[in-house]
Amino acid sequence: KKKKRIEHKKDWKRTVVKGYSVYNLPDKEEAADLLAQIQKEAKPILKHFGLSYETIKESVAEGSAGFNRGRRIIALNVRQRSDPMKFRKFSAIMSTMIHELAHLRHMNHGPQFRAFDSELKAWAKKRGIYRPGASQPAKPTKPKKPPTPKRKPTPRKPTPRKPTPSKPASSSSAILTAHPKKVSSFLKAD
């Protein structure tokens, strides 16, 4: 089976789609989109750890999931080995990308490389960039709008109250409540 796959892959030609070197297969746009998403997701890792590379491209290497050519080109096998017309899980491709990013600092697989690879994966996992087992990239979240500050109610001046009409009173009580000065004159008149 392996020999047959290798012979079959020799006939594949490369093309450039959306700026990415991919194989000219019916799903080449999807392969380019995967590479673009992986590259986008890896940017915070590059920035945080001070890493860089020139380009990323599709690989169909039989012996590895990816490789790094002299700290310039990262090639990722985005297709399944057993069925090259199907894509690998996104998390598996991202794991390979992080592995290749670790090679930007340590070109071998020694203890320093393994420690750095683990550090990169832990950092990426904490930030939701690397999600083991995920078949799709994380959906971008829209930044939340900051809460609008609550306005303090403006103190209102009390409105003067109008006297409420009451039942008609007797003439003497009406005079007493309405005009206190007249009360004294009224009482003196009696």
Side-chain angles (χ1 to χ4, degrees):
K1 282 186 175 181
K2 184 176 178 180
K3 250 184 179 178
K4 191 176 180 180
R5 280 197 317 261
I6 293 170
E7 288 301 316
H8 182 64
K9 289 177 185 178
K10 285 181 181 178
D11 296 334
W12 293 359
K13 303 288 183 222
R14 284 193 167 277
T15 188
V16 176
V17 176
K18 301 177 184 179
Y20 296 94
S21 176
V22 295
Y23 287 94
N24 195 10
L25 298 172
D27 52 7
K28 60 189 171 211
E29 279 84 15
E30 193 173 348
D33 289 342
L34 267 170
L35 291 172
Q37 188 65 36
I38 290 289
Q39 189 169 25
K40 179 183 172 190
E41 299 270 334
K43 279 184 181 180
I45 301 169
L46 294 166
K47 185 176 180 181
H48 182 78
F49 290 95
L51 304 171
S52 67
Y53 62 92
E54 287 179 21
T55 190
I56 183 174
K57 69 177 190 173
E58 180 181 13
S59 168
V60 290
E62 201 57 43
S64 69
F67 56 90
N68 179 334
R69 291 200 174 160
R71 298 184 175 147
R72 295 176 302 124
I73 300 169
I74 292 178
L76 298 174
N77 205 341
V78 296
R79 300 173 184 279
Q80 294 180 9
R81 283 189 196 138
S82 59
D83 186 355
M85 295 304 136
K86 292 183 181 176
F87 292 100
R88 295 170 60 207
K89 277 186 171 182
F90 187 82
S91 62
I93 302 167
M94 182 54 79
S95 177
T96 303
M97 178 63 169
I98 294 170
H99 177 94
E100 297 309 324
L101 293 178
H103 278 308
L104 294 173
R105 189 165 292 167
H106 303 284
M107 289 303 287
N108 57 31
H109 285 106
Q112 289 178 322
F113 166 82
R114 288 192 304 276
F116 188 53
D117 183 48
S118 294
E119 182 182 357
L120 291 176
K121 284 184 178 148
W123 190 89
K125 190 175 179 181
K126 186 175 180 181
R127 284 149 187 84
I129 297 168
Y130 172 55
R131 298 173 309 120
S135 58
Q136 297 294 318
K139 296 203 186 274
T141 55
K142 292 181 181 177
K144 292 181 181 179
K145 291 181 182 176
T148 53
K150 292 183 180 178
R151 294 183 183 183
K152 292 182 180 178
T154 311
R156 294 185 181 181
K157 294 179 183 175
T159 54
R161 293 189 178 187
K162 293 180 182 175
T164 55
S166 58
K167 294 179 183 176
S170 65
S171 61
S172 61
S173 64
I175 292 172
L176 288 173
T177 55
H179 302 285
K181 288 185 180 177
K182 290 185 179 178
V183 171
S184 61
S185 63
F186 178 74
L187 291 174
K188 287 181 186 176
D190 276 345

